[in-house]
Amino acid sequence: MSQYKFSERSEAFCQDMFQQMLDTSDAIYGILISTVDGHDVSKHFLKEMPASKLSAMMSSILALGETIAVEAQQQRCRYVIVENSDGYILTLKIKDKLILSVIATTNANLGMLHSVSRNAAEKLAAHLR
Amino acid sequence: MPEIKLIITGPPGAGKTTAIEAISETPPVRTDTRTTDDLSSVKDETTVAMDFGEITLESGEKVFLYGTPGQRRFEFMWKILVEGGLGLIILVDCSRPDPIDDLKMYLENFSDFIERTGVVVGITRTSEPDAPELTEFYECLESNDRVFPILDVDIREREDVALLINALVSTLEFSR
Ligand SMILES: Nc1nc2c(ncn2[C@@H]2O[C@H](COP(=O)(O)OP(=O)(O)O)[C@@H](O)[C@H]2O)c(=O)[nH]1
Ligand SMILES: [Mg+2]
């Protein structure tokens, strides 16, 4: 099966970037890059989580977020955020084919997670260009 | 009359999204995204969450149509979408390598839902050179102890989608 795959160089770039994100906020314990159609591409998890299943789910929820925005006559969906009693899951698009998801405890504030995720997505988009 | 929720499923590319687009009275809700895997040789986009459309039957009843993603990795969406559903349309695409096997697979995938609902099977692209005969699809159902209507349809045609929905709704009324 042919699947979206990073080059070795891009994978190293990602792992570097993941480490920087973890260094910036110790609330983050999972970072996942997946395709918009739900395949996992790269990840850094400090805890065991099902990357394939999460990738499919992230693509669904982001697509729903974008669709809901349109139905509610709002512009461009920036993030989909799932806020739970003990954590946050934040998902956003990187360019047109990829999705970045960040999983964190409530020790981080949401604004912080926004900026860390946005910066990472922009860096990655620039790298992949 | 209560609203009727129907589900359309089947393999990627069978025409679930196309069917809902063809028949919905309201602009359909779509969640198609770029394909990045093997499917991209067949299709540029694939459904990753759901399709949604609405139609009104001659009786005045409202039908809500939900299309599923086709790929197994979206199995969790199948479970979410069948909740409260009254009937299932399975589309089978004769341009795929093994349409009979596809039918078997979706009968299996949705077996719990099928136990409590009506089903119709829509066979698409039957003019494909290697398309099985309709009798082979009936035999497949029979060997799985199922008796469902099977219709040869062009899913791009509104009337053909209406045929599937009417067949399904009448089996539901019959069993109610
Ligand atoms: N040529 C031809 N194309 C068809 C026929 N039935 C469906 N299609 C096309 O097959 C594609 C089905 O894609 P889509 O609806 O996204 O499939 P889904 O994955 O089941 O949602 C569309 O481009 C349809 O126009 C047919 O009988 N003949
Ligand atoms: Mg579709």
Side-chain angles (χ1 to χ4, degrees):
Chain A
M1 185 152 153
S2 90
Q3 209 129 295
Y4 192 100
K5 216 170 164 296
F6 279 151
S7 65
E8 241 169 71
R9 196 175 135 260
S10 294
E11 178 60 30
F13 181 89
C14 277
Q15 290 301 333
D16 247 21
M17 193 185 71
F18 292 165
Q19 196 53 54
Q20 285 168 30
M21 293 167 78
L22 294 173
D23 292 345
T24 312
S25 169
D26 58 7
I28 298 175
Y29 64 92
I31 308 168
L32 174 66
I33 293 178
S34 40
T35 62
V36 287
D37 59 344
H39 297 288
D40 50 317
V41 179
S42 181
K43 66 169 194 288
H44 191 121
F45 286 176
L46 302 181
K47 190 176 137 184
E48 179 86 9
M49 290 179 284
S52 309
K53 200 169 175 185
L54 282 172
S55 292
M57 290 177 157
M58 295 311 183
S59 76
S60 301
I61 201 167
L62 193 58
L64 277 174
E66 288 172 352
T67 308
I68 291 166
V70 172
E71 291 295 323
Q73 292 160 38
Q74 296 191 358
Q75 308 296 315
R76 228 169 76 76
C77 172
R78 293 218 180 93
Y79 306 89
V80 171
I81 296 159
V82 181
E83 183 171 343
N84 306 307
S85 60
D86 55 350
Y88 300 110
I89 302 161
L90 196 139
T91 299
L92 70 163
K93 265 246 185 80
I94 313 168
K95 294 182 53 177
D96 54 344
K97 279 191 183 174
L98 297 176
I99 294 174
L100 173 68
S101 302
V102 178
I103 305 174
T105 66
T106 44
N107 292 340
N109 72 45
L110 211 44
M112 177 75 181
L113 282 180
H114 274 170
S115 67
V116 171
S117 310
R118 168 62 52 199
N119 288 342
E122 278 170 6
K123 259 198 240 165
L124 195 66
H127 169 84
L128 293 173
R129 190 163 35 219
Chain B
M1 251 318 173
E3 289 147 351
I4 301 175
K5 173 175 176 178
L6 303 179
I7 322 297
I8 305 188
T9 195
K16 304 174 290 295
T17 301
T18 305
I20 291 179
E21 208 158 61
I23 200 159
S24 182
E25 294 159 356
T26 53
V29 172
R30 300 179 46 149
T31 58
D32 279 27
T33 64
R34 291 272 294 269
T35 44
T36 68
D37 53 18
D38 283 347
L39 187 63
S40 60
S41 63
V42 181
K43 255 155 56 101
D44 293 334
E45 293 202 321
T46 191
T47 306
V48 295
M50 58 182 256
D51 301 304
F52 174 79
E54 293 173 57
I55 55 168
T56 315
L57 300 180
E58 271 168 29
S59 59
E61 284 175 296
K62 269 259 175 226
V63 173
F64 294 140
L65 272 179
Y66 289 76
T68 73
Q71 299 89 334
R72 176 169 291 281
R73 64 180 181 279
F74 295 109
E75 195 172 1
F76 63 93
M77 282 308 306
W78 300 346
K79 291 184 184 139
I80 293 171
L81 292 172
V82 299
E83 197 59 44
L86 292 182
L88 181 68
I89 297 171
I90 301 177
L91 295 182
V92 181
D93 174 1
C94 291
S95 70
R96 285 175 45 94
D98 193 346
I100 301 281
D101 197 56
D102 285 343
L103 175 58
K104 263 191 229 155
M105 194 147 89
Y106 285 86
L107 288 172
E108 177 59 36
N109 290 344
F110 285 83
S111 58
D112 291 348
F113 184 52
I114 291 172
E115 289 306 326
R116 44 194 168 89
T117 50
V119 179
V120 296
V121 179
I123 313 288
T124 72
R125 307 195 201 222
T126 50
S127 56
E128 285 286 315
D130 294 330
E133 298 291 326
L134 279 196
T135 52
E136 294 177 63
F137 290 106
Y138 278 113
E139 280 160 16
C140 169
L141 288 183
E142 243 170 66
S143 66
N144 284 276
D145 287 325
R146 309 282 191 193
V147 184
F148 302 135
I150 300 182
L151 298 168
D152 172 350
V153 289
D154 184 334
I155 214 62
R156 299 165 297 177
E157 298 295 331
R158 197 192 160 280
E159 295 80 57
D160 283 24
V161 183
L163 221 55
L164 284 171
I165 290 169
N166 289 328
L168 185 51
V169 171
S170 41
T171 53
L172 297 181
E173 274 161 4
F174 187 68
S175 63
R176 264 206 285 234

